[in-house]
Amino acid sequence: MNARCICRFAVKCSTIELYPHMCHFAHVALRENFDQSPLRRTFKSKVLAHYPQSIEWNPFDQDAVSMLCMPKGLSFRTQTDNKDPQFHSFIITREDGSRTYGFVLTFFEEVTSKQICTAMQTLYQMHNAEQLSSVCASSSCSMDSLASSIDEGDAAPLLKLQQYNSYDINRDTLYVSKSICLITPLPFMQACRKFLVQLYKAVTSQQPPPLPLESYIHNILYEVPLPPPGRSLKFYGVYEPVICQRPGPNELPLSDYPLREAFELLGLENLVQVFTCVLLEMQILLYSQDYQRLMTVAEGITTLLFPFQWQHVYVPILPASLLHFLDAPVPYLMGLQSKEGTDRSKLELPQEANLCFVDIDNHFIELPEEFPQFPNKVDFIQELSEVLLQFGIPPEGSLHCSESATKLKNLVLKDLVNDKKNGNVSTNDVSMYELLKGSETIARLQALAKRTGVTVEKVDFSASLGEKEKDLKLHCEEAELRDYQLNVQLREVFANRFTQMFADYEAFVIQAAQDMESWLTNREQMQNFDKASFLSDQPEPYLPFLSRFIETQMFATFIDNKIMSQWEEKDPLLRVFDSRIEKTRLYNVRAPTLRTSVYQKCSTLKEAAQSIEQRLMKMDHTAIHPHLLDMKIGQGKYEQGFFPKLQSDVLATGPAEIGRSLSCVSLMYLCDLLERIWSHGLQVKQGKSALWSHLIQFQDREEKQEHLSESPGEKALGWDRFSLSFCYDNLSLLLVLPLRHIQNMSEIKTDVGRARAWIRLSLEKKLLSQHLKQLLSNQLLTKKLYKRYAFLRCEEEREQFLYHLLSLNAVDYFCFTSVFTTIMIPYRSVIIPIKKLSNAIITSNPWICVSGELGDSGVMQIPKNLLEMTFECQNLGKLTTVQIGHDNSGLLAKWLVDCVMVRNEITGHTYRFPCGRWLGKGIDDGSLERILIGELMTSASDEDLVKQCRTPPQQKSPTTARRLSITSLTGKTAKPNAGQIQEGIGEAVNNIVKHFHKPEKERGSLTVLLCGENGLVAALEQVFHHGFKSARIFHKNVFIWDFVEKVVAYFETTDQSLDNEDDVLIQKSSYKTFCHYVNAINTAPRNIGKDGKFQILVCLGTRDHLLPQWIPLLAECPAITRMYEESALLRDRMTVNSLIRILQTIQDFTIVLEGSLIKGVDV
């Protein structure tokens, strides 16, 4: 069978992996219940592909994913069965306690293999034969758990039932279940569900998606980062944008599961009781037919435990193959799927005296014996009720009606699928409206139907209800916002209770150990919390609960984290909780008020709701848009109803653009991670930044050892003016130099800021891993600063960490240059002449002006007889252009420049500005100044630095064919043909269009697209050069600008006469504008040559959207017949019309020209 894909995405440390899930019928294994018909049986599922194939530090758990994506196993359906897609989530808890969340959308695809269809029919024939044989032996038979009493002599009802419940290969269409799954380290449930639903809609839609599915999957795998704490992020699905957000460092941790559903399912009273059982670490078993309900209740309750964490077995969805886990004699929180028609009495559960059984579907719980009540339970429930009622949610839950509970108890899975709330809503229209009025649930139902493509019967409320229809998208956004606000307000109420109860816990923490090592060694024998004193200080009504709670593992872990915080960075939950206690003490100066039994309501509800609303209403970051990938021809084809076989090669690794998203979004994580690593296991804390303290001590030691009396940079480093590379023989000094640059930056006031600036600078120089390795090479210093167990003294882990940092060198970062925009930076420039054909030294006075994205250096005189100079100016950003020229004085005033090299002395970025033209009167085009377009030179590896330090071989002139076609010194350059020229103009325009369709932060240099080697100016020059009758007339060079000036002279001296008066006005306006622009360029106070003037004309015409008007004027001017051959492109009407249409495609874009391109030209 050519099995179809079932996809799984996985997010690990701000990168996402895709795991497509596929199944072979040949590997199917029948499970239990052979009495069931084959279509009701379950089969074994299998993972067949995942992307990337492997991650060394986080291996793919194939068995766990297979079981949890399809806990019941693979299933089949026919066209008569319900095949609506179903969403559920799961969680994988690793040995170290870390959690990974999975989000699954299961749907059905048509089986195209005749072998499988035939096998299914054979299974039915065998099943029916067994049923018939049982009729002969008994008066009743069992089929699909449906009991039918049949007389021996009357088999008609049985035959009729067999016909109804059978599979015929010629009559029925067979479908098989498939799943797509997204896995993340954080519970971004809402965003993941939206993305998966859009993927599914793209597969089932009649129209193919805008891009191949690989583009969207690749985007979320490699180009969508985790949103920073306290920020929101928008990324793009197949059809609509998807929004996710993360709480700030001082807020409650992320929780994306809607608590509204948990309270609706259980009711407030029941949920508080179950919550109390979880706090006391009893055995909690959740029971429901719906997997997502199990996850919603489990995650909802554990989220409310803040600042504590569940420390025992946590399996919200227990696969059928792991039912023996229920026999474990330890606390657990597990979820079990109930089967059709199975009630509580049929379950055989051990340890029932300590078991809290939660029947979610029937709104029913069984509590353990001797169960203490949560402190201030009545007041607590009252406060929660007020919050729920504000959002239109009844505190008793949506299943308080016993009639609806009875109906739900007997629902089969098919009914649950049809009901978009999984049985949570009454079928009566009016009562449902009254129940849901004001809670936005109706909008949520409609939204779910729209997202999944499922048709839902509309609830028709008449006009008497006074409800006007609103935009569905608006409803969805409002409903999601209300869910987020409800979530955070409910959690604030729970967190406030713990803040009140444990406001003075720190006073009872026993910190006997002097260092972490001894504390860890004697941990089991030490008493860490004065329980007796703590309980004696608490209100009496609290004691039954608190006396049991402080004996739990979660409380012991909480106290351990508090003790550990004196040596290590404080646990995030503990840090937030302690800050809340400090805030409470500010409002309650008298300590005794904190320990009374008087109930104090939460006062931060409004503030919490506002903070999350601000994040969701205003996006902080936008991820890179999905885009076309370099895919093989013939793959990625769309076939409605089938998830395609994905191209593994394009999904195996991420693009270089991932570094761009790192530099703008995730760089702060890298800085934080390095600080945490350098803070681990310190002997003594010195300053606010452990990394900066280490760097400074390293610097002091190196300077003392070297006894540097002169500038260490000049002594240790050699400069090669041709390659602009550093030669160094002292890696330690290479580390010290960036430190000195950072120390000289007066803009940074703190050690933490200096450390982050150093990280940014090292990352931009592609030396971060090398610098840190050199820093740690001083083992004496490392041993002096860190204890034996510190991360930096664990050799294997440290080397792996440095190795992974090397991968960051694959991308050009500008994370230092783009942030510190006001600092003064030293630059070094080198002018490289073509010595064989020109004087290296000239008698005139040369000058240079360097421009970048942030400004320009201004005109600077170059010292005579020198080709190299250094200058300092405010950060120019990424360099874009160089203006170079001279005043034409003296005898040796003609200068043939190969290129100009400019290097940022702090970041090490080197730019090359090709020229290959003469500067001087009476030679070339007579230009005394030229505008050169820069290109960033690629960094060399450490092994190549030695080679770069030597003088390189004679470089080829970087000039393009368009220049040499007229001004080539040899005259032997091959000219492009008409087809190549037309292709070049199309490519140049297309590059500009693509530039403006990219997100603004991803756009490159527009100057390069206009004036670069393959830019629009170059392409238009090729058009104008084609068919020139002669490049030289009477030993004088002829340039495009000569033709332009002849056209202007013709228009200015000739009156135009046309039959149509409107055409006269339009054309008159066009040639007047053209003449005005040309004259403005000619009269500009600049010594620009003829080619340079044509470049300015094209740039201005592009900016002001005039090129499509000017081209026909030039093509129809009589001067063209004298200067161009009849075969020239400009004399071919069809070619000219085609050129005009191509240029019109950039008319809608706002083009901003760099100041250096049009300086001095006033139009």
Side-chain angles (χ1 to χ4, degrees):
M1 169 188 177
N2 293 327
R4 302 286 176 180
C5 288
I6 301 176
C7 305
R8 171 181 180 266
F9 299 80
V11 184
K12 302 182 195 295
C13 298
S14 81
T15 60
I16 305 177
E17 306 168 299
L18 173 70
Y19 298 102
H21 208 219
M22 300 177 68
C23 38
H24 283 292
F25 194 81
H27 297 290
V28 166
L30 290 178
R31 293 174 181 245
E32 55 186 7
N33 248 337
F34 283 88
D35 288 337
Q36 289 187 337
S37 64
L39 283 177
R40 294 292 175 262
R41 298 172 186 170
T42 54
F43 301 81
K44 185 178 180 180
S45 60
K46 181 182 179 182
V47 177
L48 296 184
H50 54 91
Y51 307 101
Q53 292 298 322
S54 61
I55 297 180
E56 184 178 351
W57 47 267
N58 201 350
F60 173 54
D61 193 339
Q62 179 167 307
D63 294 334
V65 170
S66 181
M67 285 191 297
L68 293 170
C69 276
M70 294 183 175
K72 292 188 302 182
L74 196 70
S75 58
F76 289 88
R77 296 284 188 272
T78 64
Q79 75 279 0
T80 60
D81 299 313
N82 187 285
K83 299 181 293 296
D84 292 338
Q86 292 292 296
F87 173 84
H88 79 274
S89 53
F90 62 82
I91 189 170
I92 298 176
T93 305
R94 303 187 184 278
E95 293 180 358
D96 60 357
S98 62
R99 294 178 178 179
T100 302
Y101 292 85
F103 305 96
V104 186
L105 188 70
T106 302
F107 52 93
F108 287 86
E109 282 184 0
E110 181 180 346
V111 176
T112 57
S113 170
K114 291 185 178 180
Q115 182 181 1
I116 293 180
C117 295
T118 303
M120 179 59 71
Q121 186 166 10
T122 302
L123 286 176
Y124 256 104
Q125 291 172 353
M126 296 169 60
H127 175 72
N128 292 337
E130 292 174 2
Q131 297 302 314
L132 285 173
S133 64
S134 66
V135 169
C136 300
S138 175
S139 61
S140 62
C141 68
S142 174
M143 179 179 296
D144 292 355
S145 301
L146 297 175
S148 301
S149 219
I150 301 176
D151 295 334
E152 291 183 7
D154 187 10
L158 177 61
L159 295 175
K160 183 177 181 180
L161 185 59
Q162 288 175 349
Q163 182 179 4
Y164 171 78
N165 194 34
S166 64
Y167 169 74
D168 188 333
I169 193 172
N170 298 317
R171 179 194 66 199
D172 299 319
T173 304
L174 190 63
Y175 296 87
V176 64
S177 60
K178 304 290 177 70
S179 295
I180 50 178
C181 173
L182 182 69
I183 295 185
T184 69
L186 295 175
F188 293 111
M189 194 269 289
Q190 303 287 1
C192 293
R193 178 168 59 185
K194 290 180 181 179
F195 184 82
L196 293 175
V197 168
Q198 291 188 46
L199 272 186
Y200 172 72
K201 287 178 65 176
V203 172
T204 57
S205 175
Q206 294 182 355
Q207 299 295 327
L211 296 171
L213 293 187
E214 283 87 345
S215 295
Y216 303 101
I217 295 169
H218 182 274
N219 178 249
I220 201 170
L221 281 171
Y222 301 109
E223 297 168 333
V224 177
L226 285 172
R231 296 290 185 266
S232 53
L233 171 74
K234 178 171 69 175
F235 66 96
Y236 294 88
V238 182
Y239 301 109
E240 297 175 355
V242 180
I243 295 170
C244 57
Q245 60 86 31
R246 287 178 70 186
N250 295 319
E251 299 179 52
L252 295 174
L254 175 66
S255 175
D256 215 29
Y257 286 84
L259 289 174
R260 169 190 53 79
E261 292 186 13
F263 279 87
E264 286 177 344
L265 290 168
L266 295 183
L268 176 54
E269 172 79 23
N270 286 344
L271 190 139
V272 171
Q273 295 287 61
V274 175
F275 173 73
T276 308
C277 290
V278 174
L279 283 172
L280 299 179
E281 294 184 344
M282 298 179 178
Q283 294 179 327
I284 294 93
L285 180 62
L286 308 178
Y287 193 62
S288 175
Q289 291 185 13
D290 186 81
Y291 294 127
Q292 187 57 17
R293 285 188 172 187
L294 297 173
M295 275 296 296
T296 299
V297 173
E299 281 294 297
I301 292 177
T302 54
T303 295
L304 298 174
L305 294 176
F306 171 88
F308 308 104
Q309 292 176 288
W310 180 258
Q311 301 293 322
H312 300 281
V313 178
Y314 183 65
V315 187
I317 298 178
L318 187 65
S321 60
L322 302 179
L323 290 180
H324 59 277
F325 275 29
L326 295 174
D327 296 328
V330 295
Y332 59 70
L333 200 169
M334 291 194 275
L336 183 64
Q337 192 206 26
S338 58
K339 298 181 180 179
E340 302 173 13
T342 303
D343 57 22
R344 167 73 176 88
S345 60
K346 296 183 179 180
L347 289 176
E348 296 180 2
L349 300 174
Q351 306 284 339
E352 293 199 10
N354 193 38
L355 178 70
C356 174
F357 180 78
V358 184
D359 191 341
I360 298 175
D361 297 337
N362 291 319
H363 199 71
F364 170 76
I365 65 173
E366 290 181 5
L367 296 174
E369 301 172 359
E370 300 179 2
F371 178 70
Q373 297 300 313
F374 191 76
N376 295 114
K377 177 184 173 184
V378 175
D379 296 323
F380 184 45
I381 289 179
Q382 177 60 34
E383 184 179 9
L384 291 170
S385 299
E386 294 173 2
V387 175
L388 291 172
L389 289 172
Q390 287 179 3
F391 289 84
I393 299 174
E396 63 271 19
S398 297
L399 297 179
H400 60 282
C401 175
S402 59
E403 181 181 355
S404 63
T406 303
K407 290 181 179 179
L408 180 60
K409 185 175 181 179
N410 298 317
L411 281 177
V412 295
L413 185 58
K414 178 178 178 180
D415 298 323
L416 287 171
V417 173
N418 285 330
D419 181 5
K420 296 307 158 197
K421 292 298 293 182
N422 292 330
N424 192 33
V425 180
S426 170
T427 56
N428 183 279
D429 290 355
V430 179
S431 63
M432 180 172 69
Y433 174 74
E434 294 298 328
L435 183 64
L436 302 178
K437 187 175 181 180
S439 69
E440 304 294 336
T441 308
I442 296 173
R444 217 172 278 116
L445 285 171
Q446 294 174 344
L448 180 61
K450 182 179 180 181
R451 292 196 299 268
T452 58
V454 178
T455 303
V456 182
E457 183 180 355
K458 294 184 178 179
V459 181
D460 185 19
F461 302 118
S462 61
S464 61
L465 295 175
E467 289 290 332
K468 295 183 179 180
E469 293 185 0
K470 296 182 179 180
D471 181 69
L472 180 60
K473 185 177 180 181
L474 180 62
H475 269 284
C476 287
E477 292 176 353
E478 289 180 351
E480 291 172 10
L481 176 59
R482 287 171 64 85
D483 269 354
Y484 279 118
Q485 290 177 326
L486 176 62
N487 263 28
V488 72
Q489 290 196 8
L490 289 172
R491 296 174 67 201
E492 286 288 342
V493 174
F494 278 83
N496 180 63
R497 292 308 307 133
F498 289 119
T499 304
Q500 300 295 334
M501 286 192 291
F502 296 97
D504 55 350
Y505 84 96
E506 193 171 356
F508 302 95
V509 176
I510 302 173
Q511 298 180 346
Q514 296 298 320
D515 59 83
M516 183 176 174
E517 226 169 327
S518 62
W519 182 80
L520 290 174
T521 303
N522 304 304
R523 168 68 185 87
E524 298 300 327
Q525 292 78 30
M526 297 178 67
Q527 184 179 0
N528 298 323
F529 190 74
D530 190 349
K531 299 176 184 178
S533 299
F534 173 77
L535 291 175
S536 66
D537 205 36
Q538 303 305 312
E540 186 174 351
Y542 290 12
L543 295 180
F545 171 81
L546 288 178
S547 60
R548 294 184 58 177
F549 177 69
I550 62 176
E551 299 294 338
T552 61
Q553 184 63 42
M554 72 173 69
F555 184 77
T557 302
F558 174 76
I559 298 300
D560 286 349
N561 289 337
K562 180 64 179 178
I563 296 174
M564 292 277 288
S565 65
Q566 63 181 318
W567 301 297
E568 290 189 340
E569 186 177 0
K570 189 176 288 189
D571 177 77
L573 297 183
L574 179 63
R575 177 175 49 79
V576 176
F577 185 66
D578 284 351
S579 68
R580 286 169 175 256
I581 291 179
E582 289 297 325
K583 187 176 180 181
T584 303
R585 286 173 177 164
L586 292 176
Y587 288 106
N588 301 274
V589 179
R590 293 176 300 166
T593 60
L594 296 176
R595 296 192 295 274
T596 66
S597 60
V598 177
Y599 188 84
Q600 298 181 25
K601 287 189 175 181
C602 181
S603 60
T604 59
L605 298 183
K606 184 177 180 181
E607 177 186 345
Q610 287 176 346
S611 64
I612 200 166
E613 181 178 4
Q614 291 174 359
R615 267 201 302 274
L616 291 173
M617 299 306 290
K618 182 182 179 182
M619 288 298 101
D620 297 301
H621 301 285
T622 301
I624 298 173
H625 288 244
H627 51 84
L628 283 173
L629 304 173
D630 186 15
M631 297 174 61
K632 298 176 183 178
I633 298 176
Q635 293 196 22
K637 291 184 176 180
Y638 172 79
E639 186 176 359
Q640 184 181 359
F642 295 94
F643 201 94
K645 184 176 181 180
L646 302 174
Q647 284 195 36
S648 59
D649 53 342
V650 298
L651 297 176
T653 56
E657 283 83 352
I658 188 172
R660 207 181 314 164
S661 62
L662 172 76
S663 63
C664 66
V665 177
S666 301
L667 182 60
M668 60 180 297
Y669 294 134
L670 177 62
C671 296
D672 290 340
L673 175 62
L674 290 175
E675 281 292 356
R676 286 198 298 269
I677 289 175
W678 256 257
S679 298
H680 182 261
L682 272 174
Q683 297 279 6
V684 180
K685 288 185 179 180
Q686 298 180 1
K688 297 291 185 180
S689 171
L691 175 59
W692 184 253
S693 176
H694 194 167
L695 288 168
I696 293 302
Q697 293 190 54
F698 178 88
Q699 179 186 13
D700 292 341
R701 290 195 170 209
E702 290 299 321
E703 289 179 347
K704 289 178 181 178
Q705 290 176 4
E706 294 292 335
H707 303 292
L708 298 176
S709 58
E710 301 176 359
S711 171
E714 296 176 359
K715 182 177 180 179
L717 302 175
W719 170 264
D720 188 297
R721 67 185 183 92
F722 291 101
S723 64
L724 272 77
S725 303
F726 276 121
C727 305
Y728 57 88
D729 51 21
N730 192 326
L731 294 177
S732 299
L733 290 179
L734 193 68
L735 169 58
V736 169
L737 286 178
L739 283 175
R740 293 194 178 129
H741 289 308
I742 301 300
Q743 289 169 324
N744 292 331
M745 292 171 59
S746 59
E747 294 83 357
I748 306 176
K749 308 297 184 183
T750 65
D751 288 349
V752 174
R754 294 185 184 96
R756 297 199 171 202
W758 181 85
I759 293 171
R760 288 176 177 272
L761 179 56
S762 300
L763 191 60
E764 187 163 330
K765 291 166 70 73
K766 300 188 177 183
L767 293 172
L768 180 59
S769 179
Q770 180 179 312
H771 281 346
L772 294 177
K773 184 176 183 179
Q774 186 63 30
L775 177 65
L776 297 172
S777 65
N778 191 327
Q779 296 183 7
L780 293 177
L781 177 60
T782 304
K783 290 180 179 179
K784 174 186 175 184
L785 296 178
Y786 292 94
K787 299 177 182 178
R788 182 178 55 81
Y789 64 84
F791 178 89
L792 296 180
R793 292 187 62 182
C794 299
E795 185 174 351
E796 184 176 350
E797 289 80 1
R798 183 185 65 204
E799 291 302 319
Q800 289 182 2
F801 177 75
L802 295 174
Y803 174 77
H804 289 305
L805 282 180
L806 279 175
S807 63
L808 298 178
N809 294 350
V811 183
D812 291 320
Y813 300 97
F814 292 89
C815 48
F816 180 87
T817 302
S818 61
V819 170
F820 301 100
T821 57
T822 60
I823 64 173
M824 299 300 292
I825 291 184
Y827 294 90
R828 183 184 297 263
S829 66
V830 177
I831 301 169
I832 302 177
I834 300 180
K835 296 180 181 179
K836 290 184 178 180
L837 302 172
S838 168
N839 298 309
I841 304 300
I842 59 174
T843 57
S844 56
N845 298 304
W847 56 268
I848 190 172
C849 177
V850 181
S851 300
E853 293 180 346
L854 302 178
D856 63 67
S857 64
V859 174
M860 301 175 294
Q861 295 296 325
I862 303 174
K864 280 191 176 182
N865 302 325
L866 290 179
L867 297 175
E868 180 181 329
M869 67 176 290
T870 59
F871 61 94
E872 188 176 66
C873 65
Q874 187 169 305
N875 185 3
L876 301 177
K878 296 179 185 178
L879 302 188
T880 53
T881 62
V882 159
Q883 296 167 256
I884 185 172
H886 62 82
D887 62 0
N888 202 45
S889 61
L891 297 176
L892 301 175
K894 297 177 182 179
W895 201 13
L896 181 57
V897 177
D898 181 20
C899 64
V900 177
M901 310 281 282
V902 182
R903 176 186 172 98
N904 183 320
E905 293 282 69
I906 291 183
T907 66
H909 284 310
T910 303
Y911 296 82
R912 187 173 186 271
F913 298 84
C915 180
R917 303 291 296 271
W918 286 93
L919 286 92
K921 290 292 185 181
I923 192 168
D924 204 338
D925 65 345
S927 178
L928 291 182
E929 64 175 274
R930 296 198 182 277
I931 303 173
L932 311 180
I933 311 302
E935 55 187 26
L936 178 65
M937 295 183 65
T938 56
S939 300
S941 62
D942 293 341
E943 292 77 15
D944 294 331
L945 283 174
V946 177
K947 297 179 182 178
Q948 283 199 5
C949 292
R950 303 174 187 148
T951 302
Q954 180 64 43
Q955 299 181 14
K956 271 190 171 182
S957 174
T959 53
T960 60
R962 64 178 174 101
R963 304 289 186 192
L964 295 177
S965 62
I966 298 298
T967 61
S968 173
L969 300 171
T970 63
K972 297 180 182 180
T973 303
K975 296 181 180 181
N977 56 40
Q980 293 171 330
I981 293 173
Q982 291 174 326
E983 183 179 346
I985 195 75
E987 183 180 351
V989 172
N990 190 38
N991 288 337
I992 295 176
V993 172
K994 289 192 291 186
H995 170 85
F996 285 100
H997 276 90
K998 292 179 180 178
E1000 189 170 352
K1001 292 183 179 180
E1002 297 177 34
R1003 298 174 184 173
S1005 172
L1006 183 60
T1007 301
V1008 173
L1009 300 181
L1010 290 173
C1011 307
E1013 182 175 352
N1014 296 311
L1016 182 61
V1017 174
L1020 285 175
E1021 281 189 351
Q1022 295 284 13
V1023 173
F1024 278 86
H1025 284 153
H1026 186 266
F1028 242 46
K1029 286 188 175 179
S1030 175
R1032 295 174 66 86
I1033 299 179
F1034 301 113
H1035 304 285
K1036 181 181 178 181
N1037 288 340
V1038 179
F1039 296 88
I1040 298 175
W1041 195 250
D1042 295 321
F1043 169 63
V1044 170
E1045 289 180 329
K1046 289 184 180 294
V1047 172
V1048 171
Y1050 170 77
F1051 286 139
E1052 290 180 340
T1053 58
T1054 306
D1055 292 331
Q1056 301 297 308
S1057 58
L1058 292 173
D1059 296 335
N1060 190 315
E1061 189 172 334
D1062 292 337
D1063 291 341
V1064 171
L1065 293 176
I1066 296 173
Q1067 186 159 345
K1068 201 167 186 178
S1069 173
S1070 297
Y1071 73 67
K1072 279 189 175 182
T1073 304
F1074 179 73
C1075 294
H1076 171 67
Y1077 275 65
V1078 173
N1079 290 331
I1081 294 171
N1082 275 329
T1083 57
R1086 298 179 65 178
N1087 295 309
I1088 300 176
K1090 295 179 179 181
D1091 280 349
K1093 291 178 180 180
F1094 180 77
Q1095 175 175 288
I1096 295 175
L1097 181 65
V1098 173
C1099 289
L1100 291 173
T1102 305
R1103 183 194 69 181
D1104 299 334
H1105 306 138
L1106 295 172
L1107 286 181
Q1109 300 176 25
W1110 292 349
I1111 295 296
L1113 298 180
L1114 294 168
E1116 295 170 6
C1117 178
I1120 198 170
T1121 59
R1122 298 193 299 271
M1123 301 189 71
Y1124 282 88
E1125 298 174 359
E1126 190 173 350
S1127 61
L1129 292 175
L1130 284 179
R1131 297 186 64 178
D1132 183 82
R1133 183 175 294 273
M1134 291 183 61
T1135 302
V1136 171
N1137 291 336
S1138 176
L1139 176 61
I1140 293 171
R1141 287 194 298 272
I1142 292 174
L1143 293 174
Q1144 286 174 339
T1145 59
I1146 56 177
Q1147 294 292 87
D1148 296 333
F1149 303 120
T1150 301
I1151 294 177
V1152 180
L1153 298 178
E1154 189 173 327
S1156 61
L1157 294 178
I1158 55 173
K1159 181 188 292 186
V1161 181
D1162 183 12
V1163 293

